[in-house]
Amino acid sequence: MTYHRHRIRMAKTRSTALVLICGGLIRLTPPPALAASAEGNVPAPSRAFTPRTAAAFYADVQGAGKSAMWKTITNKAAPLVEHLHTLRQAQIASLPMPRALSGFHGSDVAELAVALEGEKILSDLQSSQFDPNSGFLVVLRLIGTRDVNDLIQLGLEAIDKEVPALRSQIEKSRRRIGAAEVFDVPSEALGEQKLPFTLSCAVGPGKDGTIIALGRLENLQAFLSGKTEGTLRGQINDTLSRRGQFWLYFPVPKDATKSLGAGAAGAGANPMFAGLAQSMDQVRDVNLSLNFGASQVDFELDLGCADGASAGQLAQGIQGFLGMMQMGAQQNPSSLPPFAGKIKAAADGAIFRLTTAFIVRDVDLAFQNVNRQVAAARPPASIPAPKPEAAATPVPSAPPVEVEFVGFSAEEQESLRTAKVRVLNRSSKPVKELKLTFAYLDESGRKLGEWTRNHSSLTSENLIGGGTTGVVDCLAFNVPSFTKKVAVTLQEATFAGGEKWVSR
């Protein structure tokens, strides 16, 4: 039993070390942007792809985030995000978390690309046993640019605090490739996972923000040296020429399509569904893209088939299925979501293409049940025990905790923004969680709206220590576009040990 617990602790330490090596290099709270020179920049994430890429994912988060539909979805997803935040806090409370990631927020990510290489890469990922011919590259662009050497020093200091033995190995492997500083990931950081190639991490300035990359050394070198062009092979690249802000491409393993076709066509299935499932046996690859616009999200799914006949058979089956859906909805039109009525399916050569568009009503329907379940799952607010009456009227005293809004981390007029809040803790006990109400005001002080949420740290057990004052980052939901001022009111404070203070 003692040996087993020791191995678990070692695995956690090694996992933390790997996160620190990459994440520790990026103290991600966005500072004032520093202009990067036109020359000497690391390539953009979109350049990570090559004709050898077997599977790929790309996300232009910054571009999509400017659209009205993205902001609408973000606002409607707020209760779910809040619930997941609470769940994650409970799950990670006992895990060692890297200090260097304390400033990281999803809103810092501007662009992301993932490129996988090797015929067996998908099975490699499933089995965690990588083929020597496989490889991968993950490239991330952050909003804003910061001095690279400053980032590296912050990262090394954080690594030194968590896993001192790794710092010297990482520093010795440091070299420059193109405009980036490159480090090798020590095998000790991977624990029991063994890779048949060198895993490396790079950080450097990009044209529109700091670039972080992680992957097989050969893949990373080609990217940093400008030898990758961002194009996939042949027909796949032509299919994705209409790439959306988010897109995904992957080949379909033959075993997967065969098992699907055999399973559906077996035991007396509906002839239409059986034929549809059997036609899936001819699908060779999947391309999916999303584009966020002012009033809708455009969706496109392309299935590359073995030949035109296979694509035609698949289109016929899907059209029959859609016809059944529409006939069934005639008696109850409200049961059919708007996007279903916009679906178009057709064959274009050897490609089966399905398109549709999601509007606000579709988003409402999607989150309606989810948010209801989230609200039901929340534990009821605890009622503080009544205090015994004092013999004399107590002298009013200052609350144990006070909060003050400092500002937003970025100037972008987004509905989901990272707010900086100064917390003054007069108590000797650390603060674990705060219940805050954000009141959003315009330039004249007129109230535009408000949002109440519970906030705790995702990287440590407590939000702020006892008897200390500090500035913490807190996500502010549903921020109106004309917000110029914010008033933050503390409703409750929960201290380490479970003691709670409630504002009167």
Side-chain angles (χ1 to χ4, degrees):
M1 179 67 72
T2 303
Y3 173 73
H4 179 66
R5 290 177 178 173
H6 174 72
R7 291 193 66 184
I8 292 176
R9 287 195 296 269
M10 289 296 294
K12 287 181 178 180
T13 301
R14 287 165 175 167
S15 299
T16 302
L18 179 57
V19 174
L20 280 165
I21 289 167
C22 306
L25 294 175
I26 46 176
R27 193 79 173 190
L28 295 182
T29 303
L34 301 176
S37 61
E39 301 81 14
N41 288 323
V42 177
S46 59
R47 295 282 300 277
F49 310 107
T50 74
R52 299 184 304 279
T53 301
F57 172 75
Y58 175 80
D60 177 9
V61 182
Q62 190 174 31
K66 297 177 181 178
S67 69
M69 277 299 292
W70 179 278
K71 296 174 182 177
T72 298
I73 294 173
T74 299
N75 287 335
K76 293 183 181 296
L80 178 60
V81 172
E82 187 74 19
H83 182 61
L84 293 176
H85 171 92
T86 303
L87 290 178
R88 185 182 177 191
Q89 173 62 27
Q91 291 171 350
I92 69 173
S94 62
L95 298 179
M97 294 300 294
R99 296 183 179 89
L101 297 179
S102 60
F104 176 76
H105 299 286
S107 57
D108 296 320
V109 178
E111 191 178 2
L112 171 67
V114 180
L116 307 179
E117 284 190 10
E119 295 181 358
K120 301 179 180 179
I121 185 63
L122 296 182
S123 59
D124 288 350
L125 292 174
Q126 186 175 7
S127 64
S128 297
Q129 298 294 326
F130 285 85
D131 185 272
N133 295 320
S134 298
F136 73 92
L137 179 64
V138 180
V139 185
L140 186 75
R141 177 172 65 85
L142 308 176
I143 297 175
T145 302
R146 189 169 178 178
D147 182 78
V148 171
N149 288 320
D150 183 34
L151 290 173
I152 292 173
Q153 288 306 311
L154 287 173
L156 291 174
E157 290 171 5
I159 292 169
D160 200 29
K161 292 178 181 178
E162 297 286 343
V163 194
L166 293 182
R167 175 167 180 166
S168 60
Q169 297 183 54
I170 296 171
E171 287 183 309
K172 289 178 182 178
S173 71
R174 180 175 178 175
R175 68 270 193 199
R176 192 174 182 86
I177 299 178
E181 298 296 324
V182 179
F183 303 82
D184 292 335
V185 178
S187 58
E188 292 84 352
L190 303 177
E192 297 180 357
Q193 177 66 61
K194 302 300 180 183
L195 297 177
F197 49 76
T198 301
L199 183 65
S200 301
C201 178
V203 56
K207 181 180 178 182
D208 299 310
T210 300
I211 301 292
I212 309 294
L214 173 72
R216 178 170 179 161
L217 177 58
E218 291 82 358
N219 298 112
L220 187 61
Q221 285 177 324
F223 170 73
L224 297 175
S225 302
K227 296 179 181 179
T228 57
E229 299 179 356
T231 58
L232 300 174
R233 62 178 179 269
Q235 184 180 359
I236 300 170
N237 196 68
D238 296 336
T239 302
L240 289 172
S241 61
R242 303 177 302 280
R243 293 173 182 173
Q245 293 157 333
F246 287 70
W247 58 264
L248 170 69
Y249 161 76
F250 62 90
V252 179
K254 293 182 179 180
D255 292 342
T257 56
K258 287 182 178 180
S259 60
L260 177 61
N270 182 299
M272 184 187 72
F273 292 113
L276 179 61
Q278 286 180 332
S279 64
M280 291 295 294
D281 184 35
Q282 302 301 314
V283 175
R284 297 293 179 262
D285 55 62
V286 177
N287 306 306
L288 185 151
S289 66
L290 292 172
N291 261 311
F292 292 79
S295 59
Q296 65 183 36
V297 180
D298 294 323
F299 172 90
E300 181 174 315
L301 173 67
D302 289 353
L303 302 180
C305 301
D307 49 44
S310 302
Q313 183 181 4
L314 189 57
Q316 185 177 3
I318 292 293
Q319 289 167 353
F321 175 70
L322 293 174
M324 291 181 60
M325 286 180 56
Q326 293 169 355
M327 288 180 61
Q330 289 179 356
Q331 297 179 350
N332 184 15
S334 62
S335 65
L336 191 68
F339 82 88
K342 297 183 176 69
I343 294 178
K344 295 181 180 179
D348 181 7
I351 297 174
F352 164 76
R353 178 167 295 126
L354 184 148
T355 62
T356 188
F358 299 92
I359 61 174
V360 175
R361 175 60 179 163
D362 292 303
V363 177
D364 288 335
L365 292 174
F367 283 112
Q368 194 174 58
N369 292 331
V370 174
N371 289 339
R372 187 183 297 118
Q373 293 171 4
V374 167
R378 284 199 183 102
S382 59
I383 301 175
K387 298 180 180 180
E389 294 184 4
T393 303
V395 178
S397 59
V401 181
E402 289 186 2
V403 296
E404 177 188 11
F405 177 76
V406 177
F408 289 114
S409 296
E411 295 299 324
E412 287 83 357
Q413 300 297 314
E414 304 291 345
S415 57
L416 178 63
R417 304 178 67 179
T418 300
K420 290 186 174 297
V421 178
R422 181 177 290 106
V423 181
L424 167 61
N425 182 15
R426 296 189 178 91
S427 170
S428 60
K429 296 182 178 180
V431 173
K432 188 172 184 179
E433 184 178 75
L434 298 175
K435 184 176 182 180
L436 305 172
T437 296
F438 291 81
Y440 307 121
L441 314 173
D442 64 10
E443 189 65 45
S444 64
R446 181 172 63 92
K447 187 175 180 179
L448 302 175
E450 69 175 29
W451 183 266
T452 299
R453 62 157 302 181
N454 294 320
H455 178 61
S456 55
S457 174
L458 287 177
T459 58
S460 62
E461 184 177 357
N462 298 310
L463 183 64
I464 192 168
T468 60
T469 300
V471 177
V472 301
D473 291 333
C474 178
L475 287 178
F477 295 93
N478 291 337
V479 182
S481 57
F482 294 104
T483 298
K484 298 299 181 183
K485 306 173 185 177
V486 178
V488 181
T489 303
L490 176 63
Q491 306 291 347
E492 296 177 2
T494 302
F495 297 92
E499 181 183 344
K500 182 176 291 187
W501 175 84
V502 181
S503 176
R504 298 296 183 183

